Amino acid sequence: MFKNAKTLLIAMITIISLIVIVAIGVKTELIILDPKGPVGIIQKDLIMYSIYFMLAIVIVVFVLFTFMVIKYRDRKNLSSKDYKPDMHGSTMLEIIWTIIPILIVTALSIPNAKALYELKEPPKSSADKEPIVIYATAADWKWIFSYPKENIETVNYVNVPEDHPILFKVTAADSMASFWVPQIGGQIYGMPGMVNDLYLQADEPGKYEGRNSNFTGEGMTHQQFNFVVLKEEDYQDWVKETQENAPKLVEKTYEKLMLPETVDEMTFSSTHLEFVDHGKDSEYAMKIREKYGVEIKGMKVKTDGNDENDSEEIDSKSEEASSNSGSHSNH
Amino acid sequence: MTHSMNVDPNTPLEYQSSIGRLNIFGFWIFLGAEVALFATIFATYFTLKGSTGGGPLPIEVFDLKNTIVMTLLLLTSSFTSGIAIHEMRRKNVKSMIIWLIITLLFGLGFLYMEISEFIHLVHEGATLGTNAFWSSFYILTGTHGFHVSLGIGWIILVIFQVLKRGLTPDTAKKVFISSLYWHFLDFIWIFVFTSVYLLGMVE
Amino acid sequence: MFDFIKNNLILDNPMILAANISILLTVIGIVFALTYFKKWKWLWTEWITTVDHKKIGIMYIIAALLMLFRGGVDALLMRAQLTVPNNGFLSSQHYNEIFTTHGTIMILFMAMPFLIGLMNVAVPLQIGARDVAFPYLNNLSFWSFFFGALLFNISFVFGGSPDAGWTNYAPLAVEGSPGPGINYYLLGIQISGIGTLMTGINFIVTIIKMRAPGMTLLRMPMFTWTTLITSFIIVFAFPIFTVTLALMTFDRLFGTHFFTLTDGGNPMLWANLFWLWGHPEVYIVVLPAFGIFSEVIATFARKTLFGYKSMVTSLVVISFLSFLVWVHHFFTMGGSAAVNNVFSITTMAIAIPTGIKIFNWLATLYKSRIQFTTAMMWALAFIPTFVIGGVTGVMLGMAAADFQYHNTYFLIAHFHYTLIAGVVFACFAGFVYWYPKMFGHKMDERLGKLAFWFFAIGFNVCFLPQFLLGFAGMPRRIYTYAPEDGWTALNVVSTIGAVGMGIGFVILVYNVYYSFRYAKRETTGDAWNGRTLEWATTTAIPPHYNFAVIPEVKGIDAFWHMKQEKKEDKKEKIEYKPIHMPSNSATPFIMSVFFFVAGFGLVFELWWMAILGGIGSIGCMAFRSLHSHIDDEGYYVSVEEIEKTENLFKKEA
C-alpha cells in the first residue's frame, strides 16, 4: 500500500505523534473528567455523553473520507463504472444526512437543558443541609472570600466542609473575573454591580486549585486561590478559631486590597460587607484607586492633575500602587 | 462596465445610465447597513436608558415643544425633497433646485434647534459624560444629527453640480441618491422621536 | 514633539528594539530599491491607483501574507513562552500584548484580506464580468484596510500594543488600560472596517447585477455564492462593530459611560455587542473558505459538486443562524438557564447545515477521479480536520458543559481547528489554485506538498494536545504556569507542532520565489482543466478587460460545458467592440492617508491632528462628489488592442 518512502515517512510521523499525544494525555491529570463533587459530576457526565456522539460522527466522517480518497484516487486502469462525473445529487441522501444530525442535536439538547436547570439549584445529594453562603469577590488580582453568617473573611483561600453545599455569591470589585475550581465544578463570572450564584460541593477532603479564567490584565495568571476541603469537625474548629483569634478587617486594609497587585493569603474576623457590597456598588474600587493615585482611563486623576498619557506606564498600573503589598499571612 | 444608453423616455433620468442603476441599487444596500448601525445604537440606548443616576431626568429637561417643531421641520423637509424629485421628473431644473434649497433650509433649522437643545441640556447638567443615559442620548441624537449635517453638505455639492452641468443622467442620479439618504434620515428620526422623547416623557 | 516621540518609542525591550530597527531598515531598503530601479511611477500608476480587481486582489493577498508572518511570529513567541513552566522569556505585559495582536491580526488583518483578495481575483471572472460594480470603491476598500492595519501594527514599536485580548472586554479595556494601546485597537480596526463594509456592498451589487447572460443565480459557481452570502453578512454585521468600537472610543476619550463601572455604564453590554458582530464575523471568514473548497474539490475530483441546491440552501441557513448564537461566547456570564438553553440550541443547530456541507463534499469524491495536486491536498485535509473543530464546537455549545470548557485550552483548540483547518487551509488552497490566474505560472508542486505536510501535521501536533490541556484545567491567556500544574509535557508537544507550522509557512513563501524563477509559464488561461469561467480567459493572466466577448452561460460549471460543446474549433471571426474600462484614481489612497492621520491623532489624543485628518477625509469625499463624472468616464480599449491581446497566444499555441 505504501508505494514510496515519502508516504511511509508521513504515515509514521502521523502515527508516532498520535501515540505520543495519547500517551502523555493518559498520564496527565484530566481533572475535569475526575470531579470531586456532585456539581462537577453532572458536568462530567454530560461531557462524556457528548463525547460518545461526537466520536461516532468523527469516525463516520473519517471512514468515509479514507474510503473515498483511496478508492477514487486517479490511477491507470480505472473502470468507467467507478467514474460518474455528472452525478448531481440525491434528495434521499440529503434528507438522511439532515435528519440524523437533527436527531443528534435533539439528543444532546435534552440532557443539556436538564443540567442547566439542575445547576441553578443546590446539589440533590445534600438537600437536607442548609447551604453555606460565601461571597467570592474578585479584585485585581486576588480573591476575597466573605462568610457573612460566620463573620469571617479570607483572601486567596477558602475553607469549606466536605459533603456540604456551598452557595458562592460571585462578584467583583473591578474587572470581570471568572470564579473556577475545575475539579469541583464549572465556573461563573463575577462583575462589579452584579452577583452570580454558583453552587459547589466537595465530596473529598483536599486542597484544590482555584483560578480566575477570564483575562483581567497583568496579574491574571496569578489570580489563584486554594479551595480547601476540610472534614466537618475540622471546618467548625477553624471557623471558631478564626472568629476568636483573627484580626478584624479595618477599612484601610481593605482599601489596599482594591489596588491592582497580587497578595499573600490573609484571614480576618470580620467582613468587608460592612464597608461595601460590590454586588450593588460598582464604583467603590475605582474611587479607592483614584484616592491612591492609580491611573484609570476615563477618570480624571485628582491627585497629580496630569492627564497626559505616558506610554511608560504600561507597567505603572501596579507601580504606583506598590506602596504596601499588605501581606498578613494569618493562615 | 459599459455605458448603455437607454433611450426609453419613460425611464426616470437617474435610471438611464448603467452607472446610475448600479449606484442606486448599491445605495439601497448601504441603507441596509445604516439600518444595522442605527439599530445597534438604539439597542444601546434601550439597554442603558434606565441609568439616570447622577443627572437630571429627561422629563425634567426635555422641551417637547422644541422637539415637535424639530420633527415637523424634518418631516416637512422630507416632503419638500419629494417635491424636488417630482420636479426633476418633469425636467423643471430651476424648480427642483428651489425645492432642494427649501429642503436644506428646513434641515438647517432642524440642526439649529437640535444644537440649541444640546446647549440647553448642558446648562441643565446633562452632558455627554453625566451618566449612561445621557451618553446614549447624545450618541443617538448626535449620530443622527451628524448624518443630517453630512447630508446637507452633500446636497449643497449636488445642487452646485446641477447648476454647473445641468440635469444629466449623472446629476439626476446624484439628486436621487441624496434624496434617498434624506428620506432615510427622516425615517430614523421618527424612531428617535418616539423612543427618546415620547417614551422619555412618559416614564 | 520630540518629547512625544521619545516617550512613545519603545527602546527598552531588546526584541522590540530589534523589530524597530528591522522595520526602519526594510523601509529604507524598499525606498532605495524603488528609486534605484526608477519604479515610483510604475508603483503609482500600476498598483496604488489601480481600480483593476485582479490587482487589488493581489495587493490584499500580499498584505495578508505579511500579516500571517507577523501573527505567526506572535504565535511562536507565545508557544516559546509556554513550553516550560515559570518561563522568564516574556513578561506578563509583553505576553498579553502578543496574544492580543496575534488574535486581532490573524482574524482581521490576515484572514479577511486573504479571502477578500481571493474574492477580488476570482469572482468578477467567475461571473463573466469585466470588473466589480464600483471599482473606485474597491480601491478605497483596499487602502482603508491597509492604513487601518498599518495603524494597528505600529503600536508595538510606538506607544505600546493593545493588551486586553482581541475581544477587548470592558472594564479591563476601559478603566483598566490607560495609555494608547487600546486606542490603537479601536481606531485601527475601525478604519479597516470601513473598507470591509464597502467590499460587502460592492460584491452584492456586482454579483446581483453584473452576471454574464444566461448565468442565473442557480448557475453561479459556489465561490461566487459564498461571496454573495458573506457580503450580506458583512453589510449587516460590520455596522454593529462600527458602533461598538465608537462607543468604547468615546468612553476612553470623551468621558461617556457606555461600558464604564461608574455612572451607569454596563461592561456586559460590550460583551454582547462585540459578539453580536463577532460571531457572524467567523462565518464571514468560513463561508468563503467553504466556497473555495467547493471549487477546488470539484475541479480536482473532475466531478460536478454534489448537491448544489443543498449547498446553497445550507449557506443561507448558516448565515441566518449566525446572528442568533452570540450568547454562547459568554454562557458563564450569569445568564438564566432559559437564556443559556435557547442559545445552546441555536448553537448546536448551526452544526446541522455545516454537517450537510461536509457530507456533500464527501459525496462529490464518490466515483470521482481524484488528482492529488497541492490545492487538492489542502482541501482534502480540511474535511476530517475541520470536523474535529466542528464537533468540539457542538460540545462547547452545550452550555452546562461549557461551564468547564469556557476560557480553557479546549476552547482555543476548537477555534484553531475550525479557523485554521477551515479558513487558513482554504486560503492556501485558493492561493495555489488561483496562482496561475494571478501570476501566469503555477507554484511548484513538490515544494507545495512539502509545505503542506509540515503545516498540516504540525498543526495537529500543536493543537490536538490543547484539547487535553483544557480538560487538565489550563485556562487561556495565562503567560506561565507552575510545574505542579502538570501541563508541561503537553505544552512541549504543542510547541513542536507550532515549529512545524512555521517551517511549512517558510517553505510556502520560498515557493513563491522558487516558482517565480523556475516555473514554466502558462500558455492558456486554463491551468487546471477548470470548470468555471475564470479559466476561460485567453491568456493565463487575464487581459485587464477580462473577456473580449462576454461569454454566454448555459449551466452550472459554465466553462466545463463550453469545453464539452466546443468539439470543433470553428475558426469564425469574432467581432470585437471597443470595451469601456474604468480609470485609475488617486483619491482613495489620499483619503485613506487622512483616515490614518485622524486615527493616529485620536490614538494619542492629539485633537488638532484628529480634526485635520477628519477634515481631509471629508474633503476627499467632497472632491470625489464633484469629480466623479470625470472619474467615471473611464476610457475605451480599442478594437486593435483587443485583437492584439487576444491573438498573442493564439499564434504561439
Side-chain angles (χ1 to χ4, degrees), chain B residues 1 3 19 22-23 25-26 29 32-33 36-37 40 44 48 51 128-129 131-132 135-136 139 157 160-161 165 170 174, chain C residues 133-134 201 204-205 209 235-236 239-240 243 247 255-258 263-266 269 273 580 622 625-626 628-629 632:
Chain B
M1 216 174 45
H3 277 310
I19 287 189
L22 287 176
N23 281 19
F25 181 62
I29 309 281
L37 188 107
T40 310
T44 304
L48 296 175
S51 302
L128 188 61
N131 54 32
S135 296
S136 311
I139 291 296
L157 287 174
F160 175 72
Q161 293 179 64
R165 298 200 301 274
D170 178 67
K174 289 174 189 258
Chain C
F134 309 120
I201 298 176
I204 292 179
V205 180
K209 291 285 186 185
V235 164
F236 290 111
I240 301 176
V243 171
L247 293 180
T256 51
H257 290 288
F258 295 105
D263 297 305
N266 190 344
L269 182 60
L273 289 178
H580 186 238
S625 175
L626 294 168
S628 69
H629 66 290
D632 287 347

Side-chain angles (χ1 to χ4, degrees), chain A residues 32 72 74 83-85 88 94 112 120 174 180 182 187 189 213-214 218 221-222 282-283 297 309 311 314, chain C residues 7-8 92-93 174 261 263 302 304 307 310 332 335 344 360 367 370 400 403-404 406-407 471 479 605:
Chain A
I32 293 190
Y72 299 108
D74 193 14
Y83 180 45
K84 295 212 164 19
H88 274 98
E94 300 290 347
N112 178 54
K120 290 282 186 185
D174 36 47
W180 191 36
Q187 62 191 282
Y189 280 10
S213 75
N214 194 43
E218 205 177 350
T221 304
H222 301 296
S282 62
E283 308 191 2
K297 194 64 201 174
N309 285 311
S311 76
I314 287 171
Chain C
N7 286 339
N8 282 305
S92 172
Q93 175 60 34
V174 182
L261 287 172
D263 297 305
R302 259 84 66 78
T304 315
S310 172
T332 58
S344 285
N360 274 290
K367 299 212 168 162
I370 302 174
F403 293 140
Q404 287 284 42
H406 178 70
N407 272 350
F471 277 179
Y479 78 102
E605 299 182 39

